[in-house]
Amino acid sequence: MIRTRRSSAVALLFALTVALPHPALADAPTPPEPLLPGIPGAGRAEYPMDTPDQVLPPDRSGGGEPVPVPAGEVEELVEYLPRSAAAAACTAKAGPHQRRVERLLKLKVDGKQSRADCEAIRAFQTKQGIKPANGYAGPVTWSRAELLAARPNPNAAGRCPVRSYVVACVDLDRELMWVQKGTRVTYAVVNIRSGRPGYRTRTGWHSVYWRNKDHWSSIYDTPMPFSQFFDGGQAFHGVYGQIATPVGSRGCVNLSYANAKKLWDALRKGDRVYIWGKRPES
């Protein structure tokens, strides 16, 4: 009889333990909604076109011109946003880059989405051809605003060392790059995509040590057009599609196909590369 009562008590305690949430789990924050292209079928969330960190794959190129941009893969300005923010004509939801966009558009920087913020951001998106133009401060809106602000003088803060020789400047804080010789910009500032957590693009001084115009990644069986390697498996190279996505690269500095093609003519083997900062998290 005692055994039966004891067994029943143990079973009841076990059932209650399973049914009740663990305190640590109950207090865990709700994960953010995934960001998706705001127009159905307008893009993909990730482009697995990088070599893994510190790995240089075999040369599988044919020695000719790189794979041309496929039809329908031209870079578009399609904002990434959660589904809950996609339906509203002017969303009340603050985006992951809310403070950065507020600063760049000279709005009140508080990280909160007001009606005035939404209208100002939406006007900027409309002018720049960003779709959908509904005021959400996502990665595309932020990257475009950062690029426009940097164009007059990308090195205004003096973060990239001025040298008598060519230096490719990579600013991870703003996800921008340009090339300068002395104080003269020889390759205009463009948007880039750098490494995600776990695959960070390495900072400091590097040198372009190997170039391959039509490189092909044997790891992912995908093209890496206009590859210019500067540190292990990390390289400048083009991708097909949009640069400003929620997820970073696997360490490489990604550019649009058109910008990577121009960079190919702006750099030579042995040119120096200087990288600083850290990619902002969405």
Side-chain angles (χ1 to χ4, degrees), residues 89-100:
C90 196
T91 182
K93 194 176 184 67
H97 298 285
Q98 187 76 27
R99 286 182 177 273
R100 300 182 185 99

Side-chain angles (χ1 to χ4, degrees), residues 256-275:
S256 70
Y257 183 94
N259 288 336
K261 184 176 183 179
K262 293 177 183 176
L263 184 64
W264 179 266
D265 295 327
L267 294 179
R268 297 289 183 269
K269 183 178 179 180
D271 282 343
R272 303 303 304 276
V273 178
Y274 186 73
I275 304 174

Side-chain angles (χ1 to χ4, degrees), residues 75-100:
E75 183 184 16
E76 292 184 284
L77 295 177
V78 177
E79 187 57 272
Y80 285 73
L81 66 168
R83 294 186 191 280
S84 61
C90 196
T91 182
K93 194 176 184 67
H97 298 285
Q98 187 76 27
R99 286 182 177 273
R100 300 182 185 99

Side-chain angles (χ1 to χ4, degrees), residues 8 17 21 51 78 105 107 109 114 135 138 149 157 161 178 199 226 230 248:
S8 300
T17 303
T51 56
V78 177
L105 298 188
L107 305 171
V109 182
S114 67
W178 65 93
Y199 297 89
F226 304 104
F230 54 80

